[in-house]
Amino acid sequence: MISIFNDVIGPVMRGASSSHCAAALRIGRLARDLMGGSITHVLVEFDVHGSLPATHTSQGSDMGLFGGLLGWDAADARLPLSPTHLQQAGVQVEIRYIDCHDPHPNTYRLTLSNGVERHTMIAISTGGGMIEVLEIDGARVSLDGGARVEIAGRVLHPVLPVQSNPQAVLPFRSCAELMALDGGREIPLWRWAVEYEMARGKLTDGAVHAMMVDIVRILRASIAEGIAGTSYADRLLGHQSGKFAEQMARGTLLDAGVLNRTVLYTTALMEVKSAMGVIVAAPTAGACAALPASCIAVAECREQSEDDMARAMLAAGLIGVFIAGPWTFAAEVGGCQAEGGSAAAMAAAALVTLAGGTLTQATGAASMALQSMLGLICDPVAARVEIPCLGKNVIAASNAVSCANMALAGFDAMIPFDEVVAAAASVAERMPREHRCTALGGLATTPTALRLSRELAARSAAAASGLGSRPGDE
């Protein structure tokens, strides 16, 4: 059962990609528990037909997996150096690419040993930091890390913030079911989000609000950090959001109203992500900026409180529930329409909520925002989640502002939200692997992108040999 805090707004993390960093870390944490914390050798196998052979190094799968094997949290400041720490802990790692035609492109096959015992695990990253363990020691299982589980004589501890609740009776699972339950009363979307999460996680109204307020505060701190300036050696783009802030203050930019502050906050968050700072996957790390940046920027311009921001984020979270249930946030499965498109839909609903719009207007804005992003490919240059990801986050946020205003003005979305999600899933089925976060198509294969890939590879090789800067230095 989808949870807003497990699957949609979160995890709080470091790294370029939630599908890679945060998910791999959670898989590593469970693998560590399976071995009772005692590991001397790990064999990691990736299917050559999946997405991970091309991206596990550059997008942080290794960093996250190794951090998880060490027992760390997804926001641990040591994560960029987890390979070094794992080596120092006496754990030998071997990575192989094999031809096994795994059904899911983000499949991790682990063989762990310590000289006394040996265990195997097969797990997948399903998008936004969420995982599913499919097999342990050859036996089929289905574990999402949301509950304490005893298996193979070991206790696997929960790795999700909201634990599983098998007895939960959800009030609705789709947007259509919500609208039917509302029955024209136009109860605000954020209120329904609270009701949903209370039922899903056995949480109180106050606990749900407090969790989201905490997330808002983390996001505001990250925005300030981004504007002040970030640095990190292993990235393509330097600090740019500060320059945008300077030009805003001077009045030299085009007058775009609240959109300028939205662009500033979006770029600031993306730069924090690329500098391995703390972000919130909302719904993913690659699309971490559009929703919180637009929500916080608009709320600040309207002089609204952090409680108002939290309510808007909860409304966005419920829209994400309606996406994650039948479909995915993983670009490896759905392209960037699954990440940027989802973020735009969620942000549009959040902005309508901030403006005091109705339930119908909020869901209509979400529908219009996702409609206009169907078919968006994922083509990260040099397999870094920077270009064109920064621009796509800005487009998603801009789209959200426009669609929110259109809905508030009475524009008719025409296509119900659930049908738009189904259409996006259908488009994804016809999208080639090269356009689904493999860095094998689109902008990633332009001459300039290939040159940048070579330059980054050379820089990394120099750092590894001690001739240049190490990751994190600049």
Side-chain angles (χ1 to χ4, degrees):
M1 290 181 284
I2 306 300
S3 161
I4 290 174
F5 295 105
N6 286 351
D7 304 74
V8 186
I9 310 294
V12 178
M13 58 168 286
R14 295 177 189 267
S17 165
S18 49
S19 292
H20 293 73
C21 305
L25 184 139
R26 287 170 167 173
I27 291 170
R29 286 272 295 272
L30 294 175
R32 176 183 173 85
D33 284 352
L34 182 63
M35 293 295 295
S38 176
I39 309 169
T40 57
H41 185 272
V42 181
L43 170 63
V44 185
E45 295 176 306
F46 299 131
D47 183 10
V48 295
H49 304 286
S51 69
L52 290 169
T55 59
H56 70 91
T57 300
S58 58
Q59 293 195 21
S61 297
D62 296 352
M63 179 186 82
L65 180 63
F66 300 162
L69 292 172
L70 288 163
W72 294 353
D73 182 80
D76 196 299
R78 298 170 293 176
L79 273 174
L81 294 176
S82 64
T84 300
H85 284 276
L86 192 67
Q87 184 180 31
Q88 292 172 348
V91 181
Q92 180 184 359
V93 178
E94 181 182 0
I95 297 178
R96 295 179 186 170
Y97 305 152
I98 61 175
D99 188 353
C100 58
H101 292 274
D102 283 321
H104 198 285
N106 287 345
T107 300
Y108 294 74
R109 292 173 172 265
L110 307 180
T111 303
L112 310 109
S113 59
N114 60 14
V116 177
E117 59 183 312
R118 174 182 177 276
H119 292 289
T120 62
M121 174 184 288
I122 299 176
I124 60 175
S125 162
T126 59
M130 294 302 293
I131 64 169
E132 183 180 3
V133 178
L134 304 177
E135 186 178 298
I136 292 179
D137 293 340
R140 297 290 297 176
V141 298
S142 180
L143 309 175
D144 67 358
R148 182 182 184 276
V149 177
E150 293 189 25
I151 194 165
R154 290 280 161 65
V155 174
L156 276 60
H157 296 91
V159 295
L160 300 179
V162 178
Q163 296 193 23
S164 299
N165 179 14
Q167 287 74 44
V169 177
L170 300 179
F172 46 80
R173 290 178 179 266
S174 68
C175 190
E177 290 180 5
L178 166 61
M179 300 307 286
L181 182 60
D182 182 75
R185 291 175 290 172
E186 298 290 354
I187 295 172
L189 184 59
W190 73 266
R191 184 67 255 177
W192 284 118
V194 172
E195 293 295 324
Y196 177 91
E197 199 63 20
M198 288 172 62
R200 163 61 180 81
K202 294 195 295 186
L203 301 170
T204 65
D205 184 312
V208 173
H209 276 281
M211 289 176 71
M212 193 58 81
V213 168
D214 285 345
I215 286 174
V216 166
R217 290 173 179 166
I218 291 169
L219 288 164
R220 297 188 82 183
S222 294
I223 289 169
E225 178 187 351
I227 295 171
T230 58
S231 63
Y232 194 75
D234 191 26
R235 70 179 188 181
L236 294 167
L237 298 173
H239 176 50
Q240 301 178 110
S241 58
K243 299 174 184 177
F244 195 93
E246 291 172 4
Q247 297 305 315
M248 277 183 63
R250 292 176 184 171
T252 57
L253 302 180
L254 296 175
D255 183 5
V258 70
L259 187 57
N260 276 343
R261 187 180 296 202
T262 297
V263 172
L264 172 61
Y265 287 6
T266 300
T267 56
L269 279 172
M270 290 298 287
E271 289 176 5
V272 169
K273 174 199 64 63
S274 296
M276 298 297 165
V278 175
I279 58 153
V280 179
T284 68
C288 70
L291 163 60
S294 59
C295 181
I296 292 170
V298 169
E300 287 181 355
C301 287
R302 293 172 56 88
E303 299 183 345
Q304 291 175 283
S305 68
E306 288 184 339
D307 284 334
D308 293 321
M309 297 175 195
R311 294 185 189 103
M313 292 286 289
L314 282 165
L318 193 53
I319 292 296
V321 167
F322 299 147
I323 298 171
W327 193 36
T328 184
F329 294 134
E332 296 84 355
V333 176
C336 197
Q337 58 172 2
E339 294 201 30
S342 296
M346 293 161 60
L351 299 185
V352 169
T353 300
L354 284 173
T358 66
L359 174 64
T360 298
Q361 289 171 335
T363 57
S367 175
M368 287 188 283
L370 185 56
Q371 287 176 38
S372 59
M373 299 190 79
L374 294 190
L376 191 64
I377 68 171
C378 180
D379 52 345
V381 169
R384 266 68 176 178
V385 188
E386 296 182 77
I387 307 169
C389 313
L390 183 149
K392 287 179 178 176
N393 273 259
V394 170
I395 290 298
S398 304
N399 180 23
V401 173
S402 299
C403 290
N405 271 340
M406 290 164 67
L408 290 166
F411 281 58
D412 191 339
M414 293 301 293
I415 311 298
F417 185 71
D418 294 332
E419 294 182 23
V420 182
V421 174
S426 178
V427 169
E429 291 174 357
R430 294 160 177 80
M431 190 175 287
R433 170 176 176 257
E434 289 77 8
H435 292 164
R436 289 184 282 115
C437 199
T438 57
L440 298 175
L443 288 177
T445 57
T446 59
T448 297
L450 296 176
R451 174 180 59 78
L452 291 169
S453 296
R454 292 191 296 269
E455 291 175 358
L456 284 171
R459 187 190 305 171
S460 296
S465 64
L467 299 177
S469 61
R470 302 182 65 82
D473 298 332
E474 186 169 271

